[in-house]
């Protein structure tokens, strides 16, 4: 899935544990095959190839994932949008050669096809139709969290009582450590990626982080994240990292980016209205904001 997955299970028998991990890997590979945009025969690319032409019948699993994605788009007022694949990527490279932001009008035109409301679902026939020619969907903002949830479910069905699935930093945990203590998750300091600024003891929960420390550009002394606001086509600024904690890796993964787009105040206000969801935001001026139901150590 273009990301590194790490799977840990607690067991007395190494061979038994490795066999279970192999089953989880196969599940992740299965999900990648249907969701990837790097294979012409994936269901995602079949939907994209028929944009503006005809509905495409998909597996119920894919249909339901898209339906949940659109609900998150509604929840975040479009800050999360799987039709982001429609953006003109030629405007963005986020490397040392990028010296200026594109013209606002050009940026706006680059996102003209991004509109989750133009994804038409037919529940009875399990078909997906992209209304506008040229539209593209992609699961980069939710896919690896979904895969982590599915890998966890497979491992639990195989009798694994405790473990962690780490999908490139999107973690889901269940059970406890071998010493019986809860799993301890470290949140990286955005200015020192390998150094945690705090830890959270969580089990049976997931955490996902979106940060600007991995890929960004500095223009006129201001740091811009690689995260693009789907409404303006311009990169967001003001937030170093957002960490979302929830029972589902899929939901945590999907919410981290839109909270970054919405900004610290609006994003945190939304999180505080949701049940069983918590958030840690670090702004560009290194202030730390936490949702009302979280305790960092």
């Amino acid at each position: 899935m273009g990301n590194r997955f790490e799977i840990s299970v607690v067991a007395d028998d190494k061979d038994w544990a490795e066999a279970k991990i192999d089953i989880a890997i196969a599940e992740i590979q299965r999900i990648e095959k249907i969701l990837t945009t790097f294979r012409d025969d994936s269901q995602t690319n079949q939907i994209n190839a028929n944009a503006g032409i005809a509905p495409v019948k998909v597996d119920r699993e894919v249909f339901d994932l898209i339906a949940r994605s659109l609900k998150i788009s509604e929840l975040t007022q479009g800050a999360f949008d799987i039709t982001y694949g429609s953006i003109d990527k030629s405007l963005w490279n986020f490397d040392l050669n990028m010296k200026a932001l594109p013209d606002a009008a050009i940026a706006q035109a680059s996102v003209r096809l991004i509109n989750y409301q133009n994804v038409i679902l037919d529940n009875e026939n399990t078909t997906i139709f992209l209304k506008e020619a040229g539209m593209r969907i992609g699961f980069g903002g939710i896919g690896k969290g979904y895969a982590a949830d599915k890998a966890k479910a497979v491992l639990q069905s195989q009798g694994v009582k405790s473990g962690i699935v780490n999908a490139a930093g999107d973690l889901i945990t269940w059970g406890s450590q071998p010493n019986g203590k809860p799993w301890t998750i470290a949140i990286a300091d955005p200015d020192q990626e390998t150094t945690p600024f705090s830890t959270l003891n969580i089990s049976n929960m997931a955490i996902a982080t979106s940060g600007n420390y991995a890929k960004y550009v500095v223009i006129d002394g201001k740091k811009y994240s690689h995260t693009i606001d789907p409404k303006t086509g311009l990169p967001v600024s003001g937030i170093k990292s957002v960490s979302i904690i929830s029972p589902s890796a899929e939901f945590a993964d999907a919410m981290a980016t839109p909270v970054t787009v919405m900004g610290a105040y609006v994003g945190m206000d939304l999180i505080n209205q949701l049940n069983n969801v918590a958030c840690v935001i670090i702004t560009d001026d290194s202030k730390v904001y936490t949702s009302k139901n979280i305790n960092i150590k």
Side-chain angles (χ1 to χ4, degrees), residues 17 47 54 58 68 76 115 119 130 138 142 164 167 169 175 193 203 207 223 239 258 261 269 293 297:
I47 294 167
V58 297
R68 292 195 300 274
T76 62
N115 187 348
V119 181
L130 307 183
I142 196 171
I164 298 177
E193 194 175 344
S203 279
I207 182 169
K223 191 174 185 179
I239 289 180
V261 171
D269 182 61
N293 54 355
K297 297 181 178 180

Side-chain angles (χ1 to χ4, degrees), residues 3 89 160 193 195 211 217 255-256 282 297:
N3 293 282
K89 296 180 178 63
V160 176
E193 194 175 344
T195 305
V217 67
M255 288 299 293
I282 306 175
K297 297 181 178 180

Side-chain angles (χ1 to χ4, degrees), residues 157-187:
S157 73
Q158 292 290 317
V160 176
K161 303 297 184 186
S162 301
I164 298 177
V165 178
N166 178 0
D170 293 355
L171 294 158
I172 188 159
T173 72
W174 69 103
S176 56
Q177 299 182 56
N179 61 9
K181 293 183 179 180
W183 294 108
T184 300
I185 306 299
I187 298 178

Side-chain angles (χ1 to χ4, degrees), residues 236-257:
V236 299
S237 61
I239 289 180
K240 289 181 182 178
S241 75
V242 171
S243 296
I244 303 289
I245 301 99
S246 86
S248 157
E250 174 191 310
F251 190 76
D253 186 14
M255 288 299 293
T257 296

